[in-house]
Amino acid sequence: MSTFVDVLVAAAVVALIVARRTRPQRITGDGRRWLVLPVVLVVIALRRSGLVDAHHQALSGLLLGTELVVGLLMGAGWAATSTIWAEPDGSLWSRGTRATAAVWVAGIAVRLGLAGVGALYGIHQGTGALLLALAASVLVRRGMLVVRSGALRPSYGDGAPAVSGKDRV
């Protein structure tokens, strides 16, 4: 894939994430469907050449590592600033807040700064670092939401409201 296609994939993923986070989303702790997006992003990132600049391996590796740390922190901030609630039927939901948007803006600003530093030193990295960091953000966010939502789940039954003897048919 070309860099242009990588940028389009990254932009589409970010647009999808932002659009979905402005609406309430159901949290489900079961299944592996939530792994699909991060796995696809990692596969695309690793298939591309140029993840590490061959002429500046140490600095390029440092930038890649920093990008991943920023992605992890962004995912943690994203999850920490999301609102979680339980509906009467026991289903769990989350939604981003204004603070979540601030985390995204700060994360993007830091990433642009890292790209600028890399450009100043003549480091040529493909979009793989961005895709890996995005995958890390999604994974950390999802994991933290599942952990945070665990406190809201009932420790017994299926979460459905109890039916008293008088209400039974």
Side-chain angles (χ1 to χ4, degrees), residues 73-154:
L73 292 173
M74 197 168 154
W78 183 10
T81 58
S82 294
T83 303
I84 300 175
W85 69 94
E87 289 291 325
D89 67 357
S91 63
L92 299 173
W93 295 79
S94 75
R95 181 177 179 169
T97 63
R98 288 187 178 127
T100 308
V103 167
W104 270 84
V105 169
I108 290 169
V110 169
R111 287 179 172 161
L112 289 173
L114 288 173
V117 167
L120 284 174
Y121 285 99
I123 298 171
H124 300 287
Q125 281 186 301
T127 54
L130 171 68
L131 296 175
L132 286 176
L134 195 54
S137 291
V138 171
L139 280 173
V140 167
R141 177 200 170 266
R142 177 63 183 171
M144 284 183 65
L145 283 181
V146 168
V147 169
R148 281 184 60 205
S149 66
L152 297 175
R153 288 191 192 276

Side-chain angles (χ1 to χ4, degrees), residues 23-125:
R23 295 185 315 249
Q25 295 290 310
R26 188 173 184 161
I27 300 172
T28 57
D30 56 343
R32 302 278 183 238
R33 193 179 75 142
W34 62 275
L35 285 172
V36 172
L37 179 61
V39 167
V40 167
L41 291 173
V42 168
V43 167
I44 292 171
L46 296 178
R47 289 186 55 139
R48 294 281 303 142
S49 61
L51 191 58
V52 176
D53 187 345
H55 300 294
H56 304 92
Q57 290 183 359
L59 285 175
S60 180
L62 180 64
L63 278 175
L64 176 61
T66 305
E67 180 81 25
L68 289 174
V69 169
V70 169
L72 293 170
L73 292 173
M74 197 168 154
W78 183 10
T81 58
S82 294
T83 303
I84 300 175
W85 69 94
E87 289 291 325
D89 67 357
S91 63
L92 299 173
W93 295 79
S94 75
R95 181 177 179 169
T97 63
R98 288 187 178 127
T100 308
V103 167
W104 270 84
V105 169
I108 290 169
V110 169
R111 287 179 172 161
L112 289 173
L114 288 173
V117 167
L120 284 174
Y121 285 99
I123 298 171
H124 300 287
Q125 281 186 301

